[in-house]
Amino acid sequence: MKSMLLAGFFSLCASMVLAETRTYDLTISQVQSTIGGKPVPKIAVNGTIPGPVLRFTEGDEAVIHVTNRLKTPTSVHWHGLLLPGVMDGAPGFNGFKGIAPGETFTYRFPIRQSGTYWYHSHSLGQEADGLYAGIVIAPKTLDPIQADRDYVVLLSDYHQDSAARIQANLKASSDYYQYKRRTVGDLLKDAHEKGLGKALKSAGEWGKMRMLPTDLSDVTGYRFLVNGLSNAQNWTGLFRPGERVRLRFINASAMTMYDVRIPGVKMTVVAADGRPVEPVEVDEFRFGNAETYDVIVTPREDRAYTIAAESLDREGFALGTLAPREGMTGDILTHRPRAVLRMGDMNMDIMMRDDPNMDMSQMDHDSGWADSGAPKGAVVLDYAQLKSLTPQSDTRAPTRFIKVVLGGNMERYIWTINGKTFSPENGIELGYNERVRLIYVNETMMAHPLHLHGMFVQLENGQDADRLPDKHTVIVPPGQTVSVLLSATEPGDWPYHCHLMFHMQSGMMTTLRVAAPEAGFVPPAAQPAPDYTSHGEGHHAHH
């Protein structure tokens, strides 16, 4: 017994020695940026956009001093990290008030995980204006993902208009940035393919909804960057032929989703939102705002390969290069055809509620949003393919289910959760350690990447209960329903919102409150949990 106690003591001492305090100093300031030729004010971290990548090892204590040199309050949110609520960095939640001009706030928290994450402001539109960067956390034991090279590939969208100007323009007219509209030529093409009657009927339905079938993205006019560099500046990751290269993709864009591919090289997805998954070999993947994917590639030839992230609305590419030497460029790519929303992207229950006499039999039920334009035979990552590398620690059945309805009024550019715009007094109440099913019902014709602070959800994607993948951000496709499981193990008031910047700022946010263990919160009576699993709807794997 004595020897066991001594062994335990020395083990504890060893772990204490190995744990380090890792300190960073970050300064938030305004800079003049000239991407695109015209100087515009943006926000930088330590003088750069994006800011520095922060690196930790699981078990470290993070100490991060953030100094505000702006004229307005700021904040930093550690996206995907498990930490105390006051350190989460969202002003107005858990007692955090933001960082006033001229002040320094020290974030201090233990690093409880490993993987690829990122940080960004949670104050007004500062994230869109440049306050974002990557986080890389090494596991405390041997990394299950081995690679010869390791690169962060952070994608962002850069606009000449400030976030405040974009928000004002959208409120004035929701289709302010929609320049690519359907034309008479498109109507004639539809008539040729479907017949005049169906083409006119479809055009009439869109007219009644007052929404454009080309409205895949609310904002256009972006330039797309890789690690802060324009396509002309050509961010390059070096390799030797045959090496395993780990690419840590982070979508730090304010409003842009991408289809990501590297022509000539297969990608093996090995982690999603920081969590290791069983390897999945794909040709490309759809990349929602705030998601992260780690992939392994093994370029075999002594040549350059293009990393291509094509915006969903086909407005542009974020381009980088994998190359054996600096100064090389890969294939020049052309845009795929722009997808057009179809009736299959509508929420059919809502349509029937609005018009019970609607004839659904003549409608095209295919999804335009899900059409990536990938060539026949290409494998596109499907959420259903994601499988946790290690077993889930909590496989309890949920005791109740909670609908999270995503809605909005495009005409007024208002976005809602459960019919309400954000208000501090509204929210979802959970007991400590309660196990619930959250059912995301998208009543809109836009995809919403829904992000929960402070915890991971397990995506119900058809995998066995013990291998459901963890996600901190889940894309909910237009008109569809997706379900997730949540173990409410982190007490606090957690922001819960769409990660499209201007959707969140226009109301699509609520609070998920987890009671403290001693609070004595009594959740509603247990309910039968119906099967709302999505099995990857909206993400088609094969074309």
Side-chain angles (χ1 to χ4, degrees):
M1 181 68 177
K2 183 178 179 181
S3 62
M4 289 176 64
L5 289 172
L6 284 172
F9 172 76
F10 287 123
S11 176
L12 176 62
C13 289
S15 65
M16 291 175 66
V17 169
L18 290 174
E20 292 188 17
T21 297
R22 202 166 297 270
T23 302
Y24 286 97
D25 293 285
L26 304 180
T27 300
I28 313 301
S29 63
Q30 190 173 87
V31 297
Q32 289 293 311
S33 174
T34 57
I35 292 175
K38 172 186 172 185
V40 292
K42 293 291 180 181
I43 297 174
V45 184
N46 289 2
T48 66
I49 302 174
V53 175
L54 305 188
R55 296 182 183 271
F56 302 96
T57 297
E58 185 181 7
D60 286 349
E61 181 183 37
V63 178
I64 308 167
H65 307 294
V66 179
T67 300
N68 183 8
R69 298 296 183 209
L70 303 174
K71 296 179 181 178
T72 55
T74 192
S75 60
V76 178
H77 163 56
W78 314 100
H79 188 106
L81 296 198
L82 303 171
L83 35 62
V86 71
M87 294 294 142
D88 181 62
F93 292 84
N94 299 303
F96 179 68
K97 298 179 181 178
I99 308 170
E103 290 190 354
T104 297
F105 181 85
T106 298
Y107 293 89
R108 185 186 298 269
F109 50 87
I111 299 295
R112 298 163 48 191
Q113 64 209 92
S114 61
T116 304
Y117 303 95
W118 63 298
Y119 63 96
H120 60 84
S121 176
H122 225 279
S123 298
L124 298 176
Q126 291 178 8
E127 175 198 329
D129 286 336
L131 206 169
Y132 51 80
I135 298 173
V136 174
I137 306 173
K140 59 186 174 185
T141 55
L142 182 68
D143 196 329
I145 304 166
Q146 293 295 303
D148 301 301
R149 310 261 183 165
D150 192 319
Y151 297 110
V152 169
V153 183
L154 184 146
L155 309 180
S156 59
D157 48 14
Y158 177 99
H159 210 286
Q160 296 282 6
D161 290 344
S162 68
R165 172 63 63 85
I166 292 172
Q167 182 79 19
N169 289 339
L170 290 170
K171 293 298 286 185
S173 172
S174 63
D175 58 1
Y176 181 92
Y177 292 98
Q178 295 305 313
Y179 304 120
K180 291 188 175 179
R181 300 168 185 256
R182 297 278 284 172
T183 65
V184 173
D186 293 315
L187 178 62
L188 293 175
K189 180 183 176 186
D190 287 350
H192 177 73
E193 294 175 354
K194 305 175 184 177
L196 181 60
K198 285 187 178 180
L200 289 173
K201 187 174 185 297
S202 177
E205 293 290 347
W206 286 106
K208 280 195 291 185
M209 290 185 298
R210 298 190 180 183
M211 184 171 173
L212 301 171
T214 52
D215 194 3
L216 288 166
S217 178
D218 291 344
V219 183
T220 59
Y222 282 119
R223 288 175 171 83
F224 304 108
L225 310 180
V226 175
N227 292 332
L229 300 180
S230 67
N231 295 345
Q233 292 171 304
N234 189 29
W235 177 85
T236 300
L238 298 178
F239 70 89
R240 292 189 182 94
E243 286 185 325
R244 286 169 56 88
V245 181
R246 181 176 185 166
L247 302 176
R248 300 174 182 265
F249 283 97
I250 301 169
N251 188 353
S253 299
M255 292 295 287
T256 304
M257 299 188 194
Y258 302 90
D259 289 318
V260 178
R261 59 193 188 271
I262 308 175
V265 177
K266 294 278 189 180
M267 296 183 288
T268 301
V269 177
V270 292
D273 287 358
R275 301 293 211 191
V277 296
E278 288 199 359
V280 182
E281 188 177 81
V282 301
D283 294 292
E284 60 184 77
F285 61 89
R286 178 150 293 181
F287 202 16
N289 307 67
E291 291 187 302
T292 73
Y293 283 110
D294 290 26
V295 307
I296 296 291
V297 296
T298 307
R300 301 288 181 187
E301 299 177 46
D302 185 49
R303 68 178 182 88
Y305 297 84
T306 300
I307 301 172
E310 187 174 16
S311 67
L312 219 60
D313 60 8
R314 307 309 186 222
E315 285 289 306
F317 287 100
L319 298 176
T321 302
L322 289 175
R325 293 170 294 282
E326 290 283 1
M328 301 178 72
T329 56
D331 296 335
I332 298 173
L333 305 183
T334 57
H335 281 296
R336 291 175 177 172
R338 184 180 75 254
V340 176
L341 294 171
R342 303 173 189 153
M343 292 297 150
D345 296 302
M346 297 181 186
N347 186 297
M348 295 301 174
D349 291 337
I350 300 300
M351 292 175 66
M352 290 299 292
R353 187 180 69 194
D354 293 343
D355 185 0
N357 299 315
M358 184 176 291
D359 181 7
M360 310 291 280
S361 64
Q362 300 300 313
M363 286 191 176
D364 178 3
H365 292 278
D366 288 339
S367 168
W369 183 86
D371 182 9
S372 70
K376 187 175 181 179
V379 179
V380 182
L381 181 68
D382 189 310
Y383 268 178
Q385 294 171 289
L386 297 176
K387 183 177 182 179
S388 177
L389 184 65
T390 55
Q392 289 287 351
S393 59
D394 189 353
T395 58
R396 292 175 295 160
T399 57
R400 61 179 173 132
F401 59 93
I402 299 168
K403 276 191 176 183
V404 181
V405 180
L406 309 178
N409 183 319
M410 275 295 290
E411 234 184 318
R412 297 167 58 197
Y413 206 75
I414 292 173
W415 298 95
T416 61
I417 291 182
N418 291 337
K420 297 176 181 178
T421 56
F422 175 69
S423 180
E425 64 268 16
N426 296 328
I428 297 169
E429 307 279 346
L430 300 181
Y432 178 74
N433 203 35
E434 188 179 1
R435 180 78 163 166
V436 298
R437 171 175 283 142
L438 300 166
I439 304 155
Y440 302 158
V441 181
N442 189 351
E443 294 188 346
T444 80
M445 292 194 65
M446 296 200 74
H448 300 287
L450 204 61
H451 170 52
L452 174 62
H453 289 222
M455 289 170 283
F456 285 85
V457 297
Q458 289 79 56
L459 177 65
E460 293 193 284
N461 65 344
Q463 301 289 352
D464 292 339
D466 66 337
R467 289 301 175 95
L468 296 178
D470 283 339
K471 292 281 287 170
H472 55 57
T473 306
V474 175
I475 302 175
V476 189
Q480 295 192 22
T481 296
V482 175
S483 69
V484 301
L485 296 171
L486 173 66
S487 299
T489 55
E490 301 291 332
D493 292 354
W494 301 106
Y496 195 19
H497 60 87
C498 176
H499 222 283
L500 292 167
M501 167 66 67
F502 302 109
H503 289 193
M504 180 186 72
Q505 291 200 157
S506 299
M508 194 173 272
M509 180 164 75
T510 190
T511 304
L512 191 142
R513 297 188 177 92
V514 178
E518 67 277 7
F521 176 85
V522 179
Q527 304 167 349
D531 182 13
Y532 279 93
T533 53
S534 61
H535 301 292
E537 285 184 17
H539 295 263
H540 301 291
H542 302 281
H543 295 254

